[in-house]
Amino acid sequence: MRVLMVASESVPFAKTGGLADVIGALPRALVRLGHAVDVVMPRYRSVAGGEPVARVQVRMAGTARSADVYATVADGVRTLFVHQPDYFDREYLYGTGNDDYRDNAERFAFLARSALEWGASSGTAYDVVHAHDWQGGLVPLLLQREYGSAPAFRGAPAVLTIHNLAFQGLFDAAWLPRLGLGWDLMRTDALEYFGRISFLKAGIVFSRTITTVSPRYAVEIQSPELGCGFDGILRHRSADLVGILNGIDTDQWDPARDPNLPAPYDTSNLRGKAASKRLVLEVFGLAAGAEARRRPLVGLISRLVDQKGFDLIAAIAPELSALDASFVLLGSGEPRYEDLWRALAARHPDRIGTRFGFDEALAHRIEAGADIFLMPSRFEPCGLNQMYSLRYGTVPVVRATGGLSDTVRNVERGKSGGTGVVFEPYSPEALLAALRRALHTFQNRSVWRRIQLAGMQQDFSWDRSARQYAETYKRATI
Ligand code: ADP
Ligand code: GLC
């Protein structure tokens, strides 16, 4: 199959979250299965390299704007970067913190149009067009309305993947004409959403197939609790909605050959893990003597937002710091959570360390050095860090939601095969009880080792997921 993918971020070019990991890995896995994949994304300021290969003209609201398309090929995947400095040569991908760039509607409409414009003139005949999240949401709409008859796309269905339903690409309806879209789309069975327009809704309505990133999340988003107002329309399309669990990039995330670690380790010998623990304690300026190294180390790597359960953690802050454990947090996000963690670290400088910002290498070291990884999400479409943790012998403590529930098996007394501690209710008490249970279990070395090994032996490689995508593409074309 020849696939044209459109997404707003991809490793190693630009990343704010798990979407980038997926776009960096899924196309390569598809290529390994014998498919051909072109990925179109913006040429942000952070994107270096690539060669200009084409120029596209995009017409929106009567004015034409051109963009150079740069290309680079790695592992058989061609990535095409839309170079339009007015839109994409900026410090951030989407804006600062909660302040989105005011022209995001225009920026990502431009991406969608450029991608299809490029595809139409590329000389390739695509079998399927695969868009991701709200930033790619207009692609299915434009494919159906404007590009369906182009020889490159004749009969090609659109597939949309929802990585996070909470981000819906909502904009004032007044944008419609400026995006070159008609007012006829301002209907509840098209783009209209409570008086505004939603790019994600465009993707859902106009795609042949909708996928999301775990089986459980595919069910959850059809319920009012986690449907973010979209549950009705998703129930309506439930026959075309599938959940495919993300994989992880097992080349980049492999404790046996991770260049970020002081010593490699694997299931046959976990000694190298202790070197990472020591390094992490030192890097964060925590106590790192023999006694401190025996104390369990809890790691967190996350966007500091409610989705990830930071309100729950805040609710147990006093009890948390009284636990006999060390904590390291790497993340960025809401200032109130940064302040809280800063205060905790100031009060317990020997046991609690924080680093605010984005640091890929440190993320690897924490995954290796921590004993326990904490991820008490309110909702989690898939989540990647808990899978990295499992692979690194770091026992995850997670809430039973979305992909967390699909990837971590609760450790239960008398039962084998558990890989982590899973708690159900979204409550501070349940979180604290889960943490206590993990810390208690940590004291039993042989049980702990068994849990670690069970996690390390899980197979989360992309091949299986990529096969499911390929099947989904095939089904969409019939
Ligand atoms: P989400 O995409 O919702 O943020 P995921 O678990 O799917 O959650 O993916 C998050 C990705 O971003 C992981 O690869 C994680 O390691 C990485 N990450 C998150 N915050 C940071 C950070 N501050 N520094 C480095 N990597 C981070
Ligand atoms: C989103 C979700 C996360 C998922 C990632 C990649 O950012 O929040 O759970 O793992 O997309 O699909």
Side-chain angles (χ1 to χ4, degrees), residues 285-307:
L286 308 186
E291 194 192 333
R293 293 205 304 278
R294 272 196 298 275
R295 200 184 284 144
L297 174 61
V298 181
L300 298 100
I301 305 166
S302 186
R303 294 184 285 120
L304 307 179
V305 295
D306 284 350
Q307 177 198 336

Side-chain angles (χ1 to χ4, degrees), residues 15-19 21 163-164 246 253 301-303 307-308 330-332 355-363 367 375 380-386 388:
K15 165 166 170 174
T16 69
L19 170 66
D21 299 62
H163 294 264
N164 193 338
N246 286 334
W253 294 91
I301 305 166
S302 186
R303 294 184 285 120
Q307 177 198 336
K308 303 291 181 182
L330 166 64
S332 62
R355 194 57 67 79
F356 302 113
F358 205 88
D359 188 334
E360 190 81 35
L362 187 56
E367 284 294 3
M375 200 163 170
E380 196 61 73
C382 180
L384 299 171
N385 276 304
Q386 82 281 10
Y388 300 150

Side-chain angles (χ1 to χ4, degrees), residues 93-419:
L93 272 54
Y94 313 121
T96 46
N98 286 333
D99 267 341
D100 288 343
Y101 291 131
R102 292 152 81 113
D103 57 351
N104 274 349
E106 195 176 324
R107 297 171 76 221
F108 292 100
F110 189 85
L111 174 69
R113 286 184 178 280
S114 305
L116 291 169
E117 232 5 273
W118 182 83
S121 61
S122 65
T124 307
Y126 291 102
D127 298 303
V128 61
V129 178
H130 186 174
H132 295 265
D133 273 352
W134 74 261
Q135 291 90 341
L138 292 188
V139 170
L141 162 70
L142 295 169
L143 179 65
Q144 193 174 109
R145 289 223 162 175
E146 300 184 24
Y147 290 88
S149 59
F153 297 122
R154 205 157 286 156
V159 175
L160 172 81
T161 296
I162 301 172
H163 294 264
N164 193 338
L165 189 63
F167 299 109
Q168 304 176 334
L170 294 174
F171 302 102
D172 199 299
W175 276 105
L176 278 172
R178 280 186 274 170
L179 307 177
L181 299 174
W183 281 105
D184 61 307
L185 290 166
M186 194 55 191
R187 290 194 324 254
T188 48
D189 60 354
L191 272 59
E192 197 269 348
Y193 186 73
F194 290 104
R196 308 174 80 195
I197 55 168
S198 160
F199 277 28
L200 189 69
K201 188 168 174 184
I204 293 171
V205 171
F206 292 95
S207 287
R208 174 71 191 79
T209 304
I210 303 139
T211 79
T212 187
V213 289
S214 70
R216 173 146 170 179
Y217 194 61
V219 174
E220 289 171 341
I221 55 178
Q222 298 179 55
S223 72
E225 299 78 57
L226 290 178
C228 301
F230 276 50
D231 47 298
I233 137 176
L234 288 165
R235 278 197 302 277
H236 182 66
R237 297 233 41 204
S238 69
D240 303 315
L241 172 61
V242 295
I244 302 176
L245 195 67
N246 286 334
I248 58 172
D249 188 324
T250 47
D251 291 328
Q252 293 212 23
W253 294 91
D254 180 0
R257 52 197 169 107
D258 186 332
N260 302 293
L261 310 188
Y265 63 93
D266 58 27
T267 46
S268 66
N269 187 348
L270 277 156
R271 245 176 319 183
K273 192 166 165 62
S276 281
K277 180 170 182 177
R278 184 181 200 144
L279 177 74
V280 169
L281 291 170
E282 284 166 3
V283 164
F284 278 88
L286 308 186
E291 194 192 333
R293 293 205 304 278
R294 272 196 298 275
R295 200 184 284 144
L297 174 61
V298 181
L300 298 100
I301 305 166
S302 186
R303 294 184 285 120
L304 307 179
V305 295
D306 284 350
Q307 177 198 336
K308 303 291 181 182
F310 276 85
D311 52 339
L312 272 196
I313 297 174
I316 61 158
E319 291 89 349
L320 188 99
S321 43
L323 295 170
D324 187 23
S326 307
F327 292 85
V328 291
L329 165 85
L330 166 64
S332 62
E334 291 185 25
R336 59 186 167 138
Y337 294 134
E338 292 194 10
D339 291 345
L340 174 85
W341 276 88
R342 208 173 277 119
L344 280 175
R347 231 171 294 138
H348 306 277
D350 58 328
R351 283 195 304 112
I352 302 185
T354 56
R355 194 57 67 79
F356 302 113
F358 205 88
D359 188 334
E360 190 81 35
L362 187 56
H364 284 248
R365 292 178 184 137
I366 294 173
E367 284 294 3
D371 299 295
I372 293 169
F373 191 85
L374 183 57
M375 200 163 170
S377 305
R378 179 185 292 269
F379 67 93
E380 196 61 73
C382 180
L384 299 171
N385 276 304
Q386 82 281 10
M387 291 193 268
Y388 300 150
S389 300
L390 289 168
R391 190 160 164 81
Y392 278 65
T394 302
V395 176
V397 173
V398 303
R399 188 167 160 264
T401 184
L404 295 176
S405 175
D406 285 339
T407 53
V408 183
R409 264 202 316 272
N410 191 27
V411 170
E412 285 171 74
R413 207 187 293 268
K415 268 202 194 156
S416 61
T419 57

